[in-house]
Amino acid sequence: MFFLDLLNQNEEEVFKKAILIFDTSALLELYFFNKTIAIEILQKTTEIFEERVFITEQILFEYLKNREKVIEKPLILYDELMDKKSNYGYIVKIMDKIVEVEDEMNKKIDKIDGIVQTFKEMCSKKDKHPFLSQEIIEKISTFVKEYSNKLKNTDIKIKERIGEIESLASEEIKGRKEEIKKIINNDDIKDIIDKKFKKGESYTYSDLMDIMKEGEFRYSNSIPPGYEDKEKKGFQKYGDLIIWKQIIQICEKEDKDCIFISNDKKEDWDDKELSGSPRLELIKEFNEITMKMFYKYNLKDFIYKMNSYFPSFIDIKSIEIIDEYYLGKILKDDIENFSDEFLNEIRDKIVDRFIDEDYFNLDTDYEDYSIENISIIKIDRNLCKYKIEVYCLVEKTRYDYLGRNDGTKEILIPTNKINYEGFLVYNVERSFKWENDTIETINVTKKLIEDNIEKHDAAIWIEDEDMEMYEEINR
């Protein structure tokens, strides 16, 4: 069949006859899917393609090398739940905030005790006004004491309860982590690959050395694939080229077209002009050796095409969950790109908020605005709801006006260091259009739901000699 005829083949017919090869990136992405759906995709795929699902030796090597790291990736999130320094350290942060409230309450109670003592001393003397009966003084004193003891007992119980909750949370987290680790030795995805995927032939050391020599020439002339990895060391540098050679070897031997599923978007695989299509050089090289056609899709597009050509592939509910997963990935990137604009808007609001009657006597020493966490709450095809936590720190110095010197220059002296520090938490609703992996925003609404910014004002002590120095400087 001529090359142009191959290019114009019916895609559905290709899916019914071609060899199917999953790249490492596509296989590893399945671990981020709902487990049941990931298993269903692989099982249905192997049933439909039957003996036409292959894995090359290099892909298998890379998959086994990285599989455990991907499986264990959620372990970090569980550890961070109990880490107050982490964006996800919600459990510890909640408990710390409760303790902080209790400590503040105890400090206020101590102040009340002091006020009661002053009150008793002031109103107990019969020969001096104001004077109150011992009965009313004792009633007030007893009430405050009972209230104080009740709060302190409550404080003890709350701290004990916090310890219990943190202990229970730690035990559950430990259990979840153990469940994740068990997947390593009881991995349904790996079992399907081991049992249903046909293995390509191994390369000898001599074969690999020949590929490395060829790779030197190809990479120096930017001939795909693999030259994007030219900064890597050893055989890793030629991993993609080894995969390419093994794909060609399998398809030449089987005398079939190839469908390659890879999430790799580098320019040494994909055509810049035709999104999602392989480089024309790869298609030509593959065709020249095998007389067949090479097709490349990412995992998402492959799933959608399989569902189109084989209606019984996976159900609508599974497709909706997969849609949500991919839309979430795209939105997360888009939201992070949108963060600079969001921060500038927040900064302007904070500046307006902190402007007061002393504005012209304040110098800003330091400002820091950063998005600490983005939590997607709900996603559908046209609306995303998420929460953004913004850390704010503004440090200012206040100056007092002392007058003017003989040269009519203002004499200013620093009197206070003022800090505004804390978190602002916003709920954001964003309506959009999603088409061809592109997000077009229609409308964004933001609502402030938490404002934990506190003002700290500390006086600057100026010694007499320093005062003279400031006056001298300003003369």
Side-chain angles (χ1 to χ4, degrees), residues 30-169:
L30 289 169
Y31 288 96
F32 296 100
F33 281 27
N34 172 290
K35 182 181 177 181
T36 303
I37 294 174
I39 299 305
E40 183 184 11
I41 289 169
L42 282 184
Q43 285 177 335
K44 290 291 181 67
T45 297
T46 54
E47 287 171 13
I48 291 168
F49 278 81
E50 297 176 333
E51 297 294 312
R52 294 180 288 121
V53 184
F54 280 77
I55 187 167
T56 74
E57 181 190 42
Q58 181 66 21
I59 291 172
L60 182 60
F61 166 76
E62 292 179 3
Y63 163 72
L64 293 175
K65 178 184 174 185
N66 293 288
R67 180 184 71 95
E68 291 188 17
K69 294 177 189 174
V70 171
I71 291 172
E72 291 181 342
K73 200 167 185 179
L75 296 179
I76 297 170
L77 294 177
Y78 282 105
D79 287 335
E80 288 183 346
L81 283 173
M82 301 298 289
D83 180 2
K84 68 175 70 178
K85 294 179 181 178
S86 165
N87 291 338
Y88 300 96
Y90 298 112
I91 294 175
V92 180
K93 287 177 182 177
I94 290 167
M95 300 306 156
D96 282 357
K97 187 58 69 176
I98 292 171
V99 170
E100 186 181 311
V101 170
E102 286 297 308
D103 289 344
E104 284 296 318
M105 186 66 73
N106 285 330
K107 287 177 185 176
K108 289 178 181 179
I109 288 296
D110 290 340
K111 287 181 180 179
I112 294 173
D113 289 340
I115 294 170
V116 169
Q117 187 60 36
T118 303
F119 162 72
K120 288 167 71 175
E121 292 171 358
M122 186 175 188
C123 298
S124 297
K125 298 175 182 178
K126 293 181 180 180
D127 58 344
K128 193 173 183 180
H129 296 295
F131 167 73
L132 295 176
S133 68
Q134 195 64 28
E135 181 183 0
I136 191 65
I137 291 174
E138 283 303 318
K139 279 187 179 295
I140 293 172
S141 180
T142 301
F143 169 71
V144 171
K145 189 174 182 180
E146 288 172 353
Y147 179 68
S148 176
N149 289 337
K150 185 178 178 181
L151 280 179
K152 287 177 180 177
N153 288 334
T154 302
D155 179 47
I156 292 168
K157 289 177 182 178
I158 286 174
K159 288 181 178 177
E160 287 175 355
R161 188 74 178 124
I162 287 171
E164 291 172 10
I165 291 170
E166 288 185 341
S167 179
L168 286 171

Side-chain angles (χ1 to χ4, degrees), residues 24 58-59 61-63 65-66 69 205 208-209 211-212 215-216 219 225-244 264 266 268-269:
T24 309
Q58 181 66 21
I59 291 172
F61 166 76
E62 292 179 3
Y63 163 72
K65 178 184 174 185
N66 293 288
K69 294 177 189 174
Y205 186 78
L208 294 174
M209 291 303 294
I211 291 172
M212 287 177 70
E216 287 294 330
Y219 290 9
Y227 64 79
E228 287 282 291
D229 295 329
K230 60 186 176 183
E231 301 303 321
K232 292 182 179 179
K233 304 291 184 182
F235 285 122
Q236 280 188 317
K237 179 177 178 179
Y238 304 99
D240 280 8
L241 183 56
I242 293 168
I243 288 170
W244 177 238
D264 199 332
K266 294 183 295 188
D268 57 352
W269 279 104

Side-chain angles (χ1 to χ4, degrees), residues 451-462:
D451 182 346
N452 299 319
I453 293 182
E454 294 181 355
K455 177 180 177 180
H456 304 280
D457 193 337
I460 299 174
W461 181 258
I462 305 293

Side-chain angles (χ1 to χ4, degrees), residues 235-286:
F235 285 122
Q236 280 188 317
K237 179 177 178 179
Y238 304 99
D240 280 8
L241 183 56
I242 293 168
I243 288 170
W244 177 238
K245 293 290 186 179
Q246 290 175 340
I247 288 172
I248 291 173
Q249 183 186 53
I250 289 169
C251 295
E252 183 180 22
K253 183 178 179 180
E254 298 293 323
D255 193 29
K256 292 185 184 297
D257 296 328
C258 177
I259 296 173
F260 183 49
I261 312 304
S262 173
N263 293 336
D264 199 332
K265 295 181 180 180
K266 294 183 295 188
E267 70 168 45
D268 57 352
W269 279 104
D270 287 359
D271 192 294
K272 286 182 180 179
E273 305 298 327
L274 301 172
S275 177
S277 297
R279 291 274 293 263
L280 185 60
E281 299 98 313
L282 296 175
I283 296 173
K284 286 185 174 181
E285 181 180 358
F286 185 88

Side-chain angles (χ1 to χ4, degrees), residues 441-474:
T441 298
I442 298 171
N443 186 48
V444 178
T445 59
K446 298 178 284 292
K447 182 180 179 182
L448 180 64
I449 59 170
E450 280 185 52
D451 182 346
N452 299 319
I453 293 182
E454 294 181 355
K455 177 180 177 180
H456 304 280
D457 193 337
I460 299 174
W461 181 258
I462 305 293
E463 300 288 350
D464 290 343
E465 57 266 28
D466 292 328
M467 178 70 77
E468 293 174 5
M469 179 188 71
Y470 277 108
E471 291 175 349
E472 180 66 30
I473 290 172
N474 285 280

